[in-house]
Amino acid sequence: FPLHNFRRLALLMHELRVVKTDLEIELLKEAVDITAKGFRRTLRFLKPGVTEYEVEAEWAREFIKRRGKFAYTPIVAAGKNNCVLHYLQNDQVCKKGQLLLLDVGSSYANYNADMTRTIPVSGTYSPEQRAIYELVYRAQEAGIRATRAGNPFFASNSEASRVLAEGLAELGLISSAADTGGLRRFFMHGTSHYLGLDVHDVGSYGPLRPGEVVTIEPGIYIPVAADIDPKWWNIGVRIEDDVLVTDGDPVILSGGAPRQIDDVEALMRTIS
Ligand code: GLY
Ligand code: MN
Ligand code: MN
């Protein structure tokens, strides 16, 4: 077709997908809402002795009831499994004293939620689990605060990384807040990606604009290693939320799933 001028369509389509319309935001909210409901069901269900796949089935029930589907293969990882970033077997028993990391999201009408919660199998965080959890929480809060229109896409990653490095240094897990190699050992992924028609959605990673939806997902994963105090071994914590960029403050779409220690423990107490 010599008279036609051809250009790649993908780049134009990608651009259209990044800033969501009101209808797209409604669909994303429904996906996230189904996901949060599934999490609350899990809080009710979890106790020592249940298996990871039984927990997965609880989410499936909630999703299917509301016309949702798993947006991706869920990660239901108890104990040392929560340090395996892409753990997908979900076939182990959840034991007292362990943390359970749940990276589970529903899709609804092709729009995807992507959420992670890390909860104590027995309903109470140990002091070490609490220390790491609170640090990841603080990092996530810093990341969310940076999720504002006009900020660089990776501002949340920088902010969360700074908080994590300071906290790990205070706990004696790395030599100082400037120890970037040490930080990478325990936090080996980024905090954010776009969310929408794909879980890892397309986009150009430019400055944030109102209507974009991104994840904020810091984590710390402490392996068994001779140079680490055993009291920290096998503690893996990630907290992941879906955040809408606006003209003003960021909106946490997945706020229906509690993520503060007191709220999680209180809910596990009242409903078990
Ligand atoms: N569930 C995939 C991710 O968190 O990016
Ligand atoms: Mn994610
Ligand atoms: Mn995830």
Side-chain angles (χ1 to χ4, degrees):
F1 302 101
L3 298 181
H4 288 69
N5 191 1
F6 289 96
R7 286 175 58 197
R8 263 188 82 204
L9 183 60
L11 294 178
L12 300 170
M13 295 302 289
H14 289 180
E15 202 38 49
L16 291 175
R17 282 169 57 171
V18 182
V19 174
K20 272 63 181 175
T21 63
D22 290 347
L23 174 59
E24 288 181 295
I25 291 169
E26 284 312 306
L27 296 173
L28 270 166
K29 278 186 175 163
E30 181 66 12
V32 174
D33 204 53
I34 295 170
T35 305
K37 194 85 188 302
F39 176 62
R40 296 177 80 89
R41 172 179 280 278
T42 300
L43 283 178
R44 250 190 340 260
F45 177 77
L46 182 62
K47 57 176 184 300
V50 304
T51 56
E52 294 166 344
Y53 55 82
E54 286 174 305
V55 172
E56 183 178 344
E58 291 297 304
W59 293 82
R61 183 175 199 281
E62 198 61 51
F63 290 1
I64 293 166
K65 247 183 16 181
R66 304 250 316 251
R67 302 208 69 189
K69 293 184 164 72
F70 282 112
Y72 49 91
T73 308
I75 298 170
V76 182
K80 66 176 168 33
N81 300 335
N82 57 35
C83 292
V84 180
L85 280 195
H86 295 285
Y87 177 77
L88 300 173
Q89 276 135 284
N90 302 352
D91 62 357
Q92 298 297 303
V93 176
C94 304
K95 300 194 183 119
K96 185 162 183 272
Q98 290 180 330
L99 287 175
L100 181 67
L101 187 152
L102 301 150
D103 187 343
V104 187
S106 179
S107 74
Y108 180 81
N110 294 323
Y111 284 84
N112 297 287
D114 182 7
M115 194 183 84
T116 306
R117 293 289 182 267
T118 309
I119 60 178
V121 171
S122 48
T124 318
Y125 294 87
S126 74
E128 287 76 22
Q129 292 167 349
R130 182 177 273 266
I132 299 300
Y133 191 97
E134 281 174 348
L135 175 53
V136 175
Y137 180 85
R138 285 205 308 278
Q140 196 202 24
E141 284 286 291
I144 292 169
R145 274 197 301 277
T147 308
R148 300 187 78 85
N151 277 358
F153 184 91
F154 295 105
S156 62
N157 193 62
S158 312
E159 283 301 297
S161 298
R162 181 180 53 73
V163 172
L164 289 177
E166 287 168 8
L168 287 169
E170 270 167 33
L171 294 172
L173 280 157
I174 62 177
S175 57
S176 79
D179 178 5
T180 48
L183 174 64
R184 273 285 152 230
R185 183 181 186 195
F186 299 115
F187 172 49
M188 64 297 281
H189 56 77
T191 58
S192 299
H193 54 82
Y194 295 108
L195 192 67
L197 284 169
D198 274 320
V199 176
H200 291 187
D201 211 0
V202 293
S204 54
Y205 298 93
L208 294 173
R209 291 168 295 177
E212 296 185 356
V213 177
V214 299
T215 64
I216 306 290
E217 49 177 311
I220 292 179
Y221 314 90
I222 308 177
V224 173
D227 61 334
I228 300 172
D229 186 333
K231 71 179 182 178
W232 301 113
W233 287 358
N234 295 326
I235 296 181
V237 172
R238 178 164 67 258
I239 314 173
E240 175 174 26
D241 280 275
D242 304 336
V243 178
L244 171 66
V245 183
T246 73
D247 284 322
D249 292 334
V251 175
I252 304 174
L253 300 178
S254 37
R259 67 195 165 97
Q260 276 178 300
I261 284 188
D262 290 349
D263 294 340
V264 168
E265 288 187 347
L267 268 168
M268 290 187 81
R269 252 196 317 277
T270 53
I271 53 194
S272 60

